[in-house]
Amino acid sequence: MTQNHDPYSDAEALKGLTLGQSTAYQAEYDASLLQGVPRKLNRDAIELTGELPFHGTDIWTAYELSWLNSKGKPMVAIAEVQLDINSINLIESKSFKLYLNSFNQTKFDSVDVVEETLKKDLSDCAQGEVSVKVIEPKQFNLERIVELPGTCIDDLDIEVDDYGFNPDYLLDSTEEKNVAETLNSNLLKSNCLITSQPDWGSVMIRYQGAKINRESLLRYLISFRQHNEFHEQCIERIFVDLKKYCGCSKLTVYARYTRRGGLDINPYRSDFEHPPESNRLARQ
């Protein structure tokens, strides 16, 4: 933790969020429902205070998007939103859900207007670059279910008796042999920073460098099981820890979380490649 990090200021910044509070649902368009959370809160804690060691995006899928056309007929669609990681804020998920619900009884002249409205409002909230793609029902047949690439490490026969977050599992976890490999796990689970509700995810780790002991890596990922942080923060923490403890020369960490309230969040961080085509996993 850096000397300038102040947990009290973190609590103050999060105090006004609707997350964890009883809220009324609005069916008329209201951009003010969106709330941002400063990314620097978590980044200060893991010493990401200068130039970021990765690039990437937060990929959101909104499955419950609906509005009225100019004649008042309901329309439905899926929206894919990509939020650049250099934005000042991440989008708080409950506020995003409330915002999307505010479209339900609002008339829009076209899909393009819906798309542009989403892009403007989300960009304003995030204070950064946001792209939006609205997928209409006639395109639903193009949506694919895939699995993360690489070798799954979940079948390792390990005994686990400690579920506290512990990056020390990565200490002395590498061999002299250099490799380029892709590993994945479906056992990632963390908890919401505010409500402690469970967040279920699958994670892919692609790296080059000293070979990482797979048992150590799996224990490390399991140690997130009772850890309270937002999705985006967990993935940045994994990236930083793998760089710090394993010395990966190239690294990608990509997670796809199951949806809550019709939204899934899929953070992607890499220092050498760009996000793949976004396709959902079976659990999403």
Side-chain angles (χ1 to χ4, degrees), residues 1 10 41 51 63 86 98 129 141 145 148 156 167-168 174 176 207 217 239 247 257 259 273 275 281:
M1 183 176 294
D10 290 7
L41 297 184
E51 183 178 352
Y63 296 95
N86 291 301
L98 294 172
E129 183 178 346
N141 65 317
I145 295 178
L148 289 173
L156 293 172
D168 287 347
T174 57
E176 291 185 6
Y207 75 96
L217 179 60
F239 187 100
Y257 282 86
R259 72 183 82 169
E273 59 180 350
L281 306 186

Side-chain angles (χ1 to χ4, degrees), residues 11-19 21 35:
E12 288 297 303
L14 299 173
K15 186 181 295 184
L17 297 180
T18 55
L19 188 62
Q21 302 179 26
Q35 295 180 326

Side-chain angles (χ1 to χ4, degrees), residues 2 86 114 120 151 208 236-237:
T2 62
N86 291 301
V114 172
K120 179 185 182 305
T151 301
Q208 295 182 27
E236 293 189 354
R237 185 178 292 277

